[in-house]
Structure formats: C-alpha cells, structure tokens
Amino acid sequence: MIFKRKKANAEPAAEQAAGATEPAAETPTEQATGTSAEQQPAKKPVLNGPFDYADIENTDEYLDFGSILVKPVAGLKVRMDVEQSNQRVIAVSLELAESRVQLMAFSASKSTSLWPGISDKIREDIASQHGEIYQRDGEYGQELLAQVPQQLPDGRAGHVALRFVGIDGPRWFLRAVIGGAAIGDEEASKAIDDLVRGVVVNRGDKPLPPQELLPLNVPRNAQTRPDAEAQGETEAAGQAPQRPERGPEITQIG
C-alpha cells in the first residue's frame, strides 16, 4: 500500500506535458430577482483560489515570480527550478515543514484546458519508470497519486509518493506536484492545499499559444542565498526528462 502516514525521503519529481481538457467557468450565472439581466450588476463568483491576477486588488504582500505569485506564510521556503539546457526558470517549488509542492503555469485557451493531455503524459512517464499510479476525485476534479521509483539519499533503491493536481483558470493552467508529509498526513496536506489556494497566476496580455510555459523570474523583494543548491527532476513540455539545476533558495518568514 502507498500513501501511509510517514515522512517522505525525496522531493517531488515534476513531469510537464501538454494536452487539452474541459473549460473552466469564467463568469457567474446571473440570478433573476425581479429585474432583467440588463438591469442587474454583474456578480463575481466566490473565489477560493488559486486566483487570477485580475481578481486581486493588492499584491504587495506576495512574492512575485512573474506568472506565479505566492503569499508567504511562516516557515515557507521557496526555490526556483531552472532548466539546465537554457537556464530558463520553469517552476517554483515551495517547502513547508516536511511537505513540498512544485508549481508550473501555462497559457491555455478559453474553451479547453491542458489536464487530460498532461495527465496522460504523466501516466506514460510513470509507467515507463515501472511506477504505480492511481486516479481519484479531488477539489479541482480528477487528480493522480503516484509511487515513483527513485534512488534514496543513502544510495538504496526506493520510491517517492507524489500527488499531481491540475487547476484551470481564465486562459491559464496551473499544475501542482505535491510530495512529502502532505501525501499521508491530513494536517500537512491541508497546509499545502491552503498554500496552493493562495497562489495568484498572472497570465499577462501577450498572445500565447496553448501549452506555452508562462515566464518566471526572481522576486525583487526576496532575500536570496546564491550558495544554496538542491537536486530534483523536471521534464519540460515535449522534451525528455532531465536533471535540472536549482536556482537560488529564497526564504521568507511571514
């Protein structure tokens, strides 16, 4: 059995891919109250996050990575994942206590989402590594739970448990890969889920094709440790898995 309550020994490996899914709702349904729809003011839906940049009035408190903004919490550590071949920042990895989540944001069309294609690619990748993968219903629809073979820090062969979540937004798609204690510990899982709900995605106005990775950069208001290094595995869209370099570690205590 996997996903028991235990301490994880490895960081999440991230697989990125491309595909298409169902559209996310972009406008609330108006309710009749005795006046016509033309007379009623437009109502915004109740937002539970992750949020679109246009829905947030003030982002001064956030760590602004460009397309991904993160609201700091006490004890949060942030790393930027860099694609080794071209030194492009491709993901933001958050660590909270014994839990980790890697975030990647993509452009998407108004009518479709990327999750079916991404989830199919994840299944293929994990199957090729002789791992196990399961599907379940989550807060944002279907998500994947996986047990992936991985070498442990002491050199022995082991497994890492991961949870893959796809979230649709207005013309953007956010993919989260969760690992560590959040896989089997209910309290740790809630803390990471709350962290993801607080994320803001800035799609920008630039025309982009679906599946395009949204740009990331180091926040101006972050304190960095250039000497910090870590290892992880990432797969860029349409490319073979590769071992990336980690960018500067950013520690924020809020």
Side-chain angles (χ1 to χ4, degrees):
M1 296 290 294
I2 71 171
F3 312 120
K4 293 182 179 179
R5 184 186 298 265
K6 64 180 182 179
K7 179 178 179 182
N9 293 317
E11 289 187 303
E15 282 83 355
Q16 176 182 346
T21 56
E22 298 178 351
E26 296 183 10
T27 56
T29 301
E30 294 190 20
Q31 298 179 351
T33 58
T35 60
S36 67
E38 291 78 11
Q39 294 173 320
Q40 286 187 320
K43 294 181 180 180
K44 287 189 175 182
V46 176
L47 300 174
N48 295 317
F51 302 99
D52 185 73
Y53 189 76
D55 295 320
I56 304 298
E57 294 182 0
N58 189 337
T59 60
D60 290 346
E61 297 180 1
Y62 289 77
L63 286 172
D64 188 346
F65 294 89
S67 60
I68 295 176
L69 289 78
V70 176
K71 195 167 188 177
V73 298
L76 178 66
K77 294 182 180 180
V78 184
R79 288 190 178 95
M80 303 188 72
D81 296 342
V82 179
E83 191 175 33
Q84 189 173 11
S85 61
N86 56 19
Q87 296 300 298
R88 178 179 63 159
V89 179
I90 59 174
V92 176
S93 291
L94 312 178
E95 298 183 13
L96 187 61
E98 301 294 331
S99 302
R100 292 164 291 278
V101 57
Q102 186 192 62
L103 301 171
M104 303 180 83
F106 303 86
S107 61
S109 69
K110 293 181 179 180
S111 59
T112 59
S113 141
L114 308 181
W115 184 233
I118 288 179
S119 58
D120 287 346
K121 185 63 166 59
I122 292 171
R123 289 187 182 93
E124 293 174 4
D125 290 339
I126 292 176
S128 69
Q129 298 175 57
H130 306 289
E132 300 177 36
I133 193 161
Y134 309 89
Q135 181 174 290
R136 73 174 188 182
D137 291 331
E139 181 177 354
Y140 304 102
Q142 292 181 345
E143 57 186 45
L144 301 176
L145 298 174
Q147 191 174 41
V148 185
Q150 183 165 320
Q151 186 175 14
L152 300 178
D154 60 7
R156 294 179 301 149
H159 291 80
V160 58
L162 301 172
R163 174 183 163 210
F164 296 84
V165 182
I167 304 167
D168 296 315
R171 299 174 61 233
W172 52 259
F173 176 84
L174 183 68
R175 197 207 61 177
V177 184
I178 298 168
I183 295 295
D185 185 284
E186 184 175 349
E187 185 175 347
S189 178
K190 182 180 182 302
I192 287 294
D193 286 347
D194 288 344
L195 190 62
V196 173
R197 289 189 198 99
V199 168
V200 175
V201 178
N202 185 0
R203 163 62 174 75
D205 298 327
K206 182 180 179 181
L208 294 171
Q211 308 170 14
E212 184 81 9
L213 189 65
L214 298 181
L216 293 166
N217 51 258
V218 178
R220 292 190 300 270
N221 59 339
Q223 294 181 344
T224 62
R225 290 173 48 196
D227 59 328
E229 294 181 355
Q231 288 185 334
E233 291 184 355
T234 290
E235 179 178 304
Q239 298 181 3
Q242 57 186 304
R243 186 173 297 277
E245 297 178 356
R246 285 291 185 112
E249 179 177 295
I250 301 162
T251 303
Q252 175 75 28
I253 305 298

